[in-house]
Amino acid sequence: MKTTHIALTLRGNSVENGIAVNDGQVPFNPHSGMTRHNTGLLASTSAPDGNLNKVHVAIVDEGVVLVPYEGEPQKELVLVQQYSNGSGAKRWPSFHVEFGSEVRQLSDASTSGGSGGETWVLVSAPIGWAENIASQFVDERDYGGQIISYKPDNAGEKENGLPRELFIAFRGDEELTRQFMAKVAGLPLDRLDDHIILQCGRARVKAHLEEVSRDPDFFMGADPNRVVGYIADTVLGTPVSSLEGETETAMARAFRKAGLDLAN
Amino acid sequence: MKLYQIEYPGSAPSHLGLDTEAGPLSEVRLGEAGRGREEGIIPIIGEGPDVRVKKTDDGVVLVRGNWDDEGRCLAVINAVGGYDRYRSYGIFDAQGVEAILSGTIAFGQAGRTNSGEEILAIVAPGATFRLNSKYASTWYMWTGTEWQVESPEERKARLALQKVEQGGGEWL
């Protein structure tokens, strides 16, 4: 009994049709890390160079063999490209998958050494698996690395009605997000300086809100610049974006005070 | 037999010419001289395009001549890669390789940090073996007329394809 697999490539929140083939192999071409050691064989095939879209999959002692076949797919063959970014992109989240009993891991290849690292795993999975994993991955700077597992009943729903910008600022921590929302709701309106909140930089915003709230941990680890938009929206009722282009930026003001006119 | 040399693990085997610009090759040296090391010297005598191994009570000699050796060849194989304290160097998974003489190549003044062999071997058609370099492994195969050099991944891919084409394996 041969099962037709649709071939997909999963990397972070991206799912692409097809698995690349080069020189009779599914090549391991990581974006970061080094491949100075033997990396491992992902799969071999007699298909010409290009993309494999639908295949039959055979397992032998030496590895996985992919045979092109046109038919209605019953499963997915997913090349999962897990990665940890190198030092040039270390604030971007790493992407890893926790493989459950719903998938069969067929082969893998890894980097060894260097900045960042990647492990690619070829798996046979149920239809919809790759999209489910991809929809859960948040590819936002400072969000933090994620190990994602298959949740067939919860595809893509993460925020639970919370503001997305706050949810991302608190790296997906629902409790911290709710705590912060409560803190913002309790801010004394009469003591807030809208000029600082709307137009000043990170350090002044942070100092001002910590002073006004009398809470030295007001931001609870979140970047003030990421959450100030929510504060402006909910407390002041003035979106930060509405002021852009109308007023002088903090940098322009600094230049003006220093005697420099950027307009000329 | 033709004489080939694998200079270091991972390198392609090269044909070792018996007649050089400086004159005919008079000997083959294996290994290194020194503490913790062992050097083997094999004299080459006679005339002709091919060589054959002759063992005597005192050692081994390569005798030149017009020999028909049914696809066999002689190879000087250096199995020692770059310095690594714990890397294992040797000739692994060898089939069809008959070692004639060996020398030892080592690292460090005392030759004790790590070491491995350099050998002279008779290689039969279809013979295979694997060498480790500092970071990777390389498979060698002598077909009887030429050498094939493959990474473990290339070898596995070729063997896997062969097996499936012959009807083997488990279909998902």
Side-chain angles (χ1 to χ4, degrees), chain A residues 26-47:
Chain A
V26 172
F28 178 57
N29 292 322
H31 300 194
S32 57
M34 294 173 72
T35 55
R36 58 188 179 184
H37 291 272
N38 296 115
T39 58
L41 173 66
L42 286 163
S44 56
T45 178
S46 56

Side-chain angles (χ1 to χ4, degrees), chain A:
Chain A
M1 177 67 180
K2 297 175 184 175
T3 305
T4 305
H5 287 69
I6 183 165
L8 300 169
T9 302
L10 167 65
R11 186 179 181 88
N13 52 10
S14 153
V15 180
E16 290 182 4
N17 286 324
I19 291 177
V21 169
N22 186 34
D23 203 17
Q25 286 185 41
V26 172
F28 178 57
N29 292 322
H31 300 194
S32 57
M34 294 173 72
T35 55
R36 58 188 179 184
H37 291 272
N38 296 115
T39 58
L41 173 66
L42 286 163
S44 56
T45 178
S46 56
D49 291 359
N51 256 12
L52 278 177
N53 293 311
K54 289 177 186 171
V55 291
H56 282 158
V57 183
I59 311 287
V60 292
D61 291 343
E62 288 78 9
V64 181
V65 176
L66 307 181
V67 180
Y69 183 80
E70 286 301 324
E72 190 61 30
Q74 292 108 39
K75 294 195 94 175
E76 290 181 352
L77 179 75
V78 188
L79 179 61
V80 185
Q81 300 183 354
Q82 302 177 103
Y83 59 83
S84 297
N85 290 303
S87 56
K90 61 189 173 189
R91 291 177 66 184
W92 289 88
S94 61
F95 169 67
H96 292 92
V97 176
E98 188 177 330
F99 298 103
S101 58
E102 76 282 356
V103 301
R104 179 170 173 183
Q105 294 184 56
L106 306 176
S107 60
D108 58 74
S110 296
T111 57
S112 54
S115 178
E118 301 202 3
T119 297
W120 292 12
V121 185
L122 193 66
V123 300
S124 169
I127 294 284
W129 184 86
E131 278 294 348
N132 183 279
I133 298 288
S135 68
Q136 296 179 59
F137 183 66
V138 179
D139 196 16
E140 294 279 350
R141 200 168 73 161
D142 293 331
Y143 188 83
Q146 294 148 68
I147 302 172
I148 296 172
S149 55
Y150 178 56
K151 293 176 184 163
D153 303 326
N154 191 27
E157 180 55 46
K158 296 175 289 292
E159 292 98 346
N160 288 335
L162 297 170
R164 183 173 167 78
E165 61 189 284
L166 284 192
F167 193 74
I168 290 169
F170 287 101
R171 303 177 187 195
D173 190 321
E174 201 175 311
E175 194 180 323
L176 275 185
T177 307
R178 291 192 192 283
Q179 276 182 35
F180 183 76
M181 288 169 73
K183 283 184 179 184
V184 172
L187 282 172
L189 272 175
D190 55 329
R191 295 189 61 201
L192 288 178
D193 185 333
D194 58 349
H195 163 76
I196 293 177
I197 292 173
L198 296 172
Q199 295 184 41
C200 286
R202 179 183 282 113
R204 291 203 69 179
V205 168
K206 185 170 187 285
H208 175 63
L209 285 167
E210 286 176 353
E211 183 195 335
V212 167
S213 65
R214 294 177 182 165
D215 180 359
D217 192 27
F218 179 78
F219 290 97
M220 296 181 294
D223 178 0
N225 277 3
R226 269 207 180 266
V227 298
V228 73
Y230 172 77
I231 297 169
D233 266 350
T234 53
V235 181
L236 304 177
T238 316
V240 172
S241 57
S242 70
L243 295 171
E244 284 176 5
E246 294 178 9
T247 58
E248 193 176 43
T249 63
M251 184 64 79
R253 189 165 55 256
F255 275 111
R256 182 171 53 73
K257 284 180 180 173
L260 298 167
D261 187 353
L262 290 180
N264 298 312

